């Protein structure tokens, strides 16, 4: 019998296939005591397993490239955390086996984080994945990972670690469904980059039987269990129609009446550039530079290395706009040489621009490298600071840019509610705003973007979030300056229309989403987008806001 379930759609497209569940390692090794003379050998086994897992994660990152590389290298650093390793050694010294010591040390760290309410790179799925990989290696059992199959399937898991998502084969994995996660989790972002349909935060996903036929709609978040032939045909027809519309839509982003909305790409480095160019990106709206700094967690990359990497991206968009975010370190991207290890709540501590202002030499080197990378190129370079809280922050960043001799526009990211509320003040110091809706939602609703239980508060359709977007866009218009969106909200075609209606002047997203957004924008006039935006803001819930906007745009 056909049934319908609903999660959160995070990556467009339709997938129809049989369920295959993610394999897991043996999670809890047996507890047994070892003689004291074996402690040194067990400590060596633990260190070897940790180094092997870190090397594997780093290798996967290099293979995947781009944004996935930064995520996986952060996991590798987590595996080698010196405090965790010290705890493992201590547990072995008092009689634990290597595998049990690793298991217990990670459990204690996990409990500590949960009790302190911290927002670290060791978010639950990532932390558990690292632990399982180390324990699996020590026990000699298969690593957790995607199932072996010769036939395409829909992957179902409690959650997907970045290491698994980054290397999914779209030829075999038609789509995936997870019980945990949210619309801005690492796995959701990487799924969009891969172009794999995905639904997260689906209660009871693990109860879907192995081999069950399901249809996944990554746009609506609907899961159809045992769909009828008629339902399959309708979904496939809708997918084919959508594909045809995408193919027919080319050129710059614009509404039906010619209002230009530049469609830009979010990139993590040179590896992401080919997909962005192929998708017709008009430039880069968010160049995340963290990937370069994660190569060596102990030292900042040299100016020469930075110049080389930045120039590769800038050269790909002659006459185009490239917006570079300077290093956003701290919280979920800790760096040993920059971020303190003992902050009680790093997401609310020294991160982003605050970190750079505490280490002006790192900021100065990066800005100088960007200036040199842009020399002689016809690209329109813009540089922005993450986590700007007020005018004082904005002025400090602009002053640093000028001191480095950077000939570019200086901007501020709006990720903290205070920046949206005081956007006009901030614009006295900088020339543009860029809304990072992922963090803006997280801070507005006090809802960690990795926690599936609060996914409704991470929904970018939340009217309160739309209000903050509107405030920022209105401030920029009043100052005669631009205000873009570079968070994942821009990748939702319907929401892209609403953001345009709110006054946003450009949209930046993962390359795979650009054709969807371009085709949808071209169907509606600016006036229709403005009416949809007003209807969405008048709603009280994210679901009602989406329905209200859809009703306006469909003429209901």
């Amino acid at each position: 019998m056909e049934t319908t379930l609903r999660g959160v759609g995070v990556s467009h497209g339709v997938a129809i296939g049989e369920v295959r569940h993610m394999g897991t390692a043996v999670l809890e090794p047996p507890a047994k005591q070892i003689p004291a003379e074996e402690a040194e050998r067990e400590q060596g086994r633990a260190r070897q397993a940790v180094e092997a897992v870190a090397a594997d994660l780093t290798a996967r990152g290099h293979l995947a490239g781009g944004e996935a590389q930064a995520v996986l290298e952060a996991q590798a650093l987590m595996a080698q955390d010196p405090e965790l390793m010290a705890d493992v050694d201590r547990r072995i010294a008092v009689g634990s086996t290597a595998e049990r010591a690793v298991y217990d040390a990670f459990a204690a760290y996990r409990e500590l984080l949960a009790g302190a309410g911290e927002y670290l790179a060791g978010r639950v799925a990532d932390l558990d994945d690292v632990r399982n990989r180390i324990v699996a290696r020590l026990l000699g059992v298969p690593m957790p990972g995607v199932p072996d199959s010769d036939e395409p399937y829909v992957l179902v898991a409690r959650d997907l670690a970045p290491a698994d998502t980054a290397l999914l084969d779209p030829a075999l994995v038609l789509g995936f469904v997870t019980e945990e996660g949210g619309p801005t989790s690492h796995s959701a972002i990487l799924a969009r980059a891969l172009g794999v349909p995905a639904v997260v935060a689906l209660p009871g996903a693990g109860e879907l039987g192995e081999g069950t036929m399901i249809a996944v709609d990554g746009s609506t978040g609907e899961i159809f269990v045992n769909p009828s032939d008629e339902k399959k045909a309708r979904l496939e027809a809708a997918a084919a129609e959508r594909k045809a519309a995408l193919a027919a839509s080319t050129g710059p982003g614009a509404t039906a009446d010619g209002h230009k909305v530049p469609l830009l790409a979010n990139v993590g480095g040179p590896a992401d550039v080919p997909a962005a160019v192929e998708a017709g990106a008009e430039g880069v709206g968010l160049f995340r530079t963290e990937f370069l700094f994660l190569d060596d967690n102990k030292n900042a990359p040299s100016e020469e290395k930075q110049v080389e990497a930045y120039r590769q991206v800038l050269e790909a968009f002659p006459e185009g706009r490239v917006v570079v975010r300077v290093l956003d370190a701290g919280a979920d991207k800790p760096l040993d040489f920059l971020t303190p290890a003992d902050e009680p709540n790093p997401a609310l501590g020294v991160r982003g621009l605050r970190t750079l202002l505490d280490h002006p030499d790192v900021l100065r080197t990066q800005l100088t490298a960007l200036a040199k990378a842009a020399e002689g190129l016809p690209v329109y370079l813009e540089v922005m600071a993450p986590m700007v809280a007020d005018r004082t922050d904005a002025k400090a960043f602009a002053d640093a840019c000028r001191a480095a001799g950077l000939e570019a526009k200086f901007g501020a990211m709006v990720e903290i509610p205070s920046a949206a509320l005081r956007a006009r003040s901030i614009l006295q110091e900088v020339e543009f705003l860029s809304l990072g809706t992922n963090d803006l939602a997280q801070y507005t609703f006090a809802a960690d973007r990795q926690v599936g239980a609060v996914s409704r508060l991470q929904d970018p359709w939340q009217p309160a979030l739309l209000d903050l977007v509107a405030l920022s866009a209105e401030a920029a218009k009043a100052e005669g300056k631009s205000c873009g969106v570079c968070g994942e909200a821009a990748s939702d075609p319907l929401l892209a229309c609403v953001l345009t209606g709110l006054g946003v002047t450009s949209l930046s997203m993962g390359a795979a989403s650009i054709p969807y957004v371009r085709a949808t924008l071209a169907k509606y006039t600016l006036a229709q987008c403005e009416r949809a935006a007003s209807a969405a803001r008048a709603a009280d819930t994210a679901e009602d806001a989406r329905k209200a906007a859809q009703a306006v745009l469909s003429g209901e």
Side-chain angles (χ1 to χ4, degrees):
M1 184 178 71
E2 180 181 322
T3 57
T4 303
L5 307 174
R6 183 179 290 276
V8 178
V10 295
S11 186
H12 305 297
V14 171
I16 302 174
E18 293 186 355
V19 167
R20 294 286 182 274
H21 285 273
M22 172 69 74
T24 58
V26 175
L27 295 183
E28 185 169 0
K32 62 179 182 181
Q33 290 288 303
I34 60 169
E37 59 268 21
E38 293 184 15
E40 187 174 346
R41 179 178 67 85
E42 289 295 288
Q43 288 170 340
R45 285 182 65 226
R47 282 191 291 274
Q48 288 175 0
V50 166
E51 292 304 320
V53 167
D56 176 62
L57 289 168
T58 300
R60 284 170 176 256
H62 284 297
L63 184 61
E67 186 164 3
Q69 183 174 354
V71 173
L72 292 173
E73 288 179 349
Q75 267 198 299
L77 295 174
M78 181 192 304
Q80 298 168 301
D81 183 278
E83 291 185 17
L84 266 173
M85 285 311 301
D87 191 19
V88 170
D89 283 344
R90 182 186 63 77
R91 291 173 187 274
I92 292 173
V94 295
S96 283
T97 62
E99 48 267 34
R100 187 71 205 191
V102 168
Y103 181 87
D104 289 340
F106 271 78
Y109 188 47
R110 192 180 195 274
E111 185 177 349
L112 177 66
L113 296 185
E118 295 188 355
Y119 300 83
L120 292 175
R123 291 163 171 163
V124 173
D126 293 9
L127 187 68
D128 289 349
D129 181 60
V130 171
R131 176 201 64 196
N132 289 350
R133 289 175 184 277
I134 298 171
V135 170
R137 183 169 289 274
L138 288 165
L139 291 175
V141 301
M143 288 285 176
V146 297
D148 292 327
S149 176
D150 296 328
E151 298 296 325
Y153 58 90
V154 176
L155 182 62
V156 176
R158 181 170 183 81
D159 206 344
L160 282 173
D164 299 312
T165 317
L167 298 181
L168 289 178
D169 181 357
L172 282 177
V173 182
L174 302 171
F176 65 76
V177 179
T178 66
E179 190 163 341
E180 295 294 327
T184 58
S185 64
H186 285 151
S187 292
I189 293 171
L190 294 176
R192 285 189 283 269
L194 287 167
V196 177
V199 172
V200 302
L202 178 73
E207 297 171 14
L208 291 168
E210 187 81 4
T212 301
M213 178 64 68
I214 65 172
V216 179
D217 190 328
S219 299
T220 66
E222 292 174 305
I223 306 293
F224 303 98
V225 183
N226 296 315
S228 64
D229 290 341
E230 181 183 356
K231 173 69 75 176
K232 289 182 191 176
R234 284 206 305 269
L235 287 170
E236 287 170 346
E241 182 181 341
R242 196 177 302 163
K243 187 175 181 180
L246 295 180
S249 177
T250 58
T255 59
D257 54 339
H259 175 73
K260 293 182 179 180
V261 186
L263 302 181
L264 313 171
N266 294 343
V267 304
D272 290 340
V273 168
V277 172
E278 184 180 351
E282 298 167 60
V284 172
L286 173 61
F287 179 4
R288 300 178 174 98
T289 58
E290 292 77 47
F291 80 98
L292 196 58
F293 289 78
L294 289 168
D295 278 349
D296 179 359
N297 193 42
K298 306 296 182 184
N299 302 284
S302 67
E303 181 181 302
E304 292 74 20
K305 184 176 181 179
Q306 291 189 55
V307 170
E308 180 184 358
Y310 302 151
R311 194 169 179 89
Q312 288 182 59
V313 176
L314 296 176
E315 286 176 337
F317 296 95
E319 305 293 341
R321 176 187 179 200
V322 175
V323 184
V324 179
R325 180 179 69 190
V326 293
L327 176 63
D328 184 13
D332 63 340
K333 295 177 283 269
L335 293 170
D336 284 353
F337 66 92
L338 280 183
T339 50
D342 57 352
E343 276 195 291
N345 193 338
L348 299 180
V350 181
R351 65 165 292 194
L353 180 61
R354 299 168 189 173
T355 301
L356 292 174
L357 294 178
D358 279 354
H359 297 82
D361 54 323
V362 175
L363 177 58
R364 182 168 53 252
T365 299
Q366 184 171 25
L367 293 174
T368 302
L370 284 166
K372 290 183 178 180
E375 284 179 1
L377 296 180
V379 69
Y380 296 95
L381 176 63
E382 301 184 11
V383 183
M384 61 185 181
M387 304 302 293
V388 170
D390 56 16
R391 183 173 179 173
T392 300
D393 280 349
K395 183 179 188 304
F397 178 66
D399 287 347
C401 289
R402 283 188 283 267
L406 190 62
E407 294 183 5
K409 285 187 176 181
F410 318 141
M413 290 197 70
V414 177
E415 301 166 283
I416 303 173
S418 64
L421 294 169
R422 300 290 294 173
R424 197 158 183 181
S425 171
I426 288 172
L427 283 165
Q428 305 309 303
E429 304 294 342
V430 295
E431 297 171 82
F432 69 93
L433 300 177
S434 185
L435 288 140
T437 52
N438 302 349
D439 270 324
L440 185 57
Q442 178 169 251
Y443 289 120
T444 298
F445 297 104
D448 190 325
R449 55 196 275 192
Q450 292 294 112
V451 178
V454 292
S455 62
R456 78 171 185 86
L457 296 173
Q458 302 152 0
D459 192 326
W461 281 93
Q462 283 285 355
L465 188 65
L466 299 181
D467 287 344
L468 293 175
V469 173
L471 279 174
S472 303
E474 289 164 3
K477 184 177 181 180
E479 293 296 327
K481 297 179 179 180
S482 63
C483 176
V485 168
C486 64
E488 291 300 313
S491 66
D492 179 335
L494 182 62
L495 185 51
C497 294
V498 167
L499 295 172
T500 299
L502 291 174
V504 166
T505 56
S506 66
L507 299 167
S508 189
M509 65 209 76
S513 298
I514 291 175
Y516 290 92
V517 173
R518 182 192 292 119
T520 304
L521 268 177
K523 292 163 59 177
Y524 306 108
T525 65
L526 177 59
Q528 286 177 297
C529 293
E530 289 172 342
R531 289 197 295 273
S534 295
R537 288 184 69 190
D540 290 322
T541 68
E543 184 176 356
D544 287 346
R546 180 188 292 271
K547 288 178 179 177
Q550 181 67 69
V552 170
L553 294 177
S554 62
E556 295 177 8

